[in-house]
Amino acid sequence: MTIYSVYDQVADLLATLDPAKVLSMKASADMQIRFEELAEKSADDKLTKAEKDELDHYIVLERLMRLAKIRAQSGRVVS
C-alpha cells in the first residue's frame, strides 16, 4: 500500500457523503489566509522548516478534497 492509495481511500470515503455537502466544503477564511501567507513566503524562499511542513499539509489536504469533489460530482467511487 502506498500513501497514494491511502489518499484514494480517504477521498472515496468523503465522496460517499452527501455530494452537495462534499462539493460545498471549503477552507475557512483563517485557513485560506494562512495558506496565502505561507505560499507568499515560499515564493520568496523564506519558509522555515516548520512552515514548509505546514504548507505541504495544506497542499495535500487541498488535493485530497479536490479528488473527493471530483468523485462526488461524478458519482464515481473507486473500490
Side-chain angles (χ1 to χ4, degrees), residues 43-79:
D44 294 337
D45 203 26
K46 295 181 179 179
L47 287 177
T48 66
K49 177 164 178 9
E51 289 171 330
K52 167 113 175 54
D53 291 344
E54 184 181 358
L55 179 59
D56 288 346
H57 284 287
Y58 278 116
I59 291 168
V60 167
L61 288 170
E62 188 274 333
R63 289 178 180 167
L64 182 62
M65 288 308 304
R66 190 179 297 184
L67 182 59
K69 287 179 178 190
I70 289 167
R71 290 182 180 174
Q73 189 170 31
S74 70
R76 179 179 153 255
V77 176
V78 177
S79 312

Side-chain angles (χ1 to χ4, degrees), residues 2-35:
T2 68
I3 190 65
Y4 299 108
S5 61
V6 173
Y7 293 154
D8 282 337
Q9 290 175 13
V10 173
D12 285 345
L13 176 64
L14 292 171
T16 63
L17 302 174
D18 176 9
K21 287 183 180 180
V22 174
L23 293 171
S24 70
M25 288 181 178
K26 64 180 187 174
S28 68
D30 289 341
M31 288 176 66
Q32 187 64 37
I33 290 168
R34 179 63 178 157
F35 172 79

